[in-house]
Amino acid sequence: MSGNIELLSTTLAAARAEDRAALIAYLPAGFPTVDGGIEAVKAVIAGGADVVEIGLPHSDPVLDGPVIQTADDIALRGGVRIADVMRTVREAYEATGVPILVMTYWNPIDRYGVERFTAELAEAGGAGCILPDLPVQESALWREHAEKHGLATVFVVAPSSQDARLATITAAGSGFVYAASLMGVTGTRASVGAQAQELVGRTRSTTDLPVCVGLGVSNAEQAAEVAGFADGVIVGSAFVKAILDAPDEAAGLDAVRSLAGELAQGVRKR
């Protein structure tokens, strides 16, 4: 079975055709439970998310700030496994038809086996992977199997990336480019900053892939700001925090659905 890279591409193109940015939501698998995490993904999609990234919880999440680290810890203590990540992808995709990616560090895939991981992700209906710590020059094996199974390979670029490096990264990637808005870890912030707009411009000069911005967006106003210059707005910590702050699971689902609705309006006010 082939993965859903084409669905991802057409979804991002449809948002562009509507003269807006896509809303991309991030939630970790297994948080607050496996079943609860699946319902949370469905809730953000019901609220207006166009694409969802499922985080594979990791014990050493170098890109993630304290909010997502807390959620990962809850998921890991709950015994989440890669099989649960695949189940989350499968059930979310089958219920919604929305492109679902996995965001993961390289070590779990390396241990699990690249062929096994890509085959299972494609079979689950996944659209691809975001791999923040896989160097492009070491990615040939991954890209070979991802391409074979119809999966996107999304690399992360940062404000520190030099132009030549950007060109190397974007030439190797597919689906979209994940532009980190600043140097640092994930988390909500008061402002996204001018660095992100400059990075998007420099990245676009190297590729026709959509450029989507993450790290720091937490409300409709910030989403509208980023949507003014990016093809997609990626929001993670704000959704996770909404669940962490909720008194119970039902309230958490209501909170993420509501937040997705506000952000979906934001990306339409570019």
Side-chain angles (χ1 to χ4, degrees):
M1 179 175 175
S2 181
N4 273 315
I5 185 173
E6 288 189 14
L7 175 64
L8 175 64
S9 297
T10 57
T11 299
L12 294 173
R16 177 180 287 185
E18 294 174 12
D19 193 31
R20 67 174 179 88
L23 175 59
I24 303 175
Y26 166 94
L27 285 166
F31 168 73
T33 62
V34 175
D35 289 341
I38 292 168
E39 293 307 311
V41 174
K42 294 178 185 177
V44 297
I45 293 169
D50 299 291
V51 178
V52 176
E53 303 171 5
I54 303 297
L56 195 162
H58 193 266
S59 57
D60 187 25
V62 293
L63 184 69
D64 297 308
V67 171
I68 292 176
Q69 286 183 22
T70 299
D72 278 5
D73 186 60
I74 290 169
L76 291 169
R77 289 177 184 273
V80 71
R81 295 290 184 267
I82 289 178
D84 300 310
V85 176
M86 298 298 180
R87 179 187 157 209
T88 301
V89 172
R90 177 182 292 104
E91 294 194 14
Y93 169 66
E94 289 179 351
T96 68
V98 164
I100 312 288
L101 299 106
V102 170
M103 186 165 189
T104 178
Y105 298 99
W106 179 245
N107 182 259
I109 294 177
D110 191 38
R111 293 287 298 273
Y112 198 71
V114 176
E115 169 60 21
R116 180 185 178 193
F117 189 95
T118 51
E120 290 183 7
L121 182 56
E123 190 276 330
C129 259
I130 302 164
L131 301 158
D133 68 341
L134 177 63
V136 172
Q137 63 269 26
E138 298 176 20
S139 67
L141 177 65
W142 163 266
R143 288 187 285 123
E144 174 190 342
H145 288 285
E147 185 174 351
K148 179 173 77 170
H149 290 291
L151 300 170
T153 297
V154 179
F155 289 114
V156 179
V157 297
S160 61
S161 302
Q162 299 298 312
D163 291 349
R165 178 68 175 165
L166 286 177
T168 300
I169 293 171
T170 59
S174 56
F176 65 91
V177 182
Y178 187 125
S181 66
L182 41 74
M183 300 301 294
V185 296
T186 58
T188 60
R189 289 175 173 82
S191 64
V192 179
Q195 281 185 316
Q197 187 167 0
E198 180 194 14
L199 175 59
V200 169
R202 290 197 297 121
T203 304
R204 278 191 176 142
S205 71
T206 71
T207 183
D208 291 328
L209 289 173
V211 183
C212 304
V213 171
L215 273 67
V217 177
S218 61
N219 58 48
E221 184 179 358
Q222 291 172 335
E225 176 193 354
V226 174
F229 57 81
D231 299 297
V233 180
I234 303 169
V235 181
S237 294
F239 285 120
V240 174
K241 189 174 187 299
I243 295 173
L244 287 171
D245 290 347
D248 55 51
E249 192 170 304
L253 295 178
D254 287 342
V256 295
R257 188 182 300 109
S258 176
L259 177 58
E262 294 170 15
L263 293 164
Q265 287 184 330
V267 299
R268 287 165 170 79
K269 293 178 180 176
R270 57 193 303 175

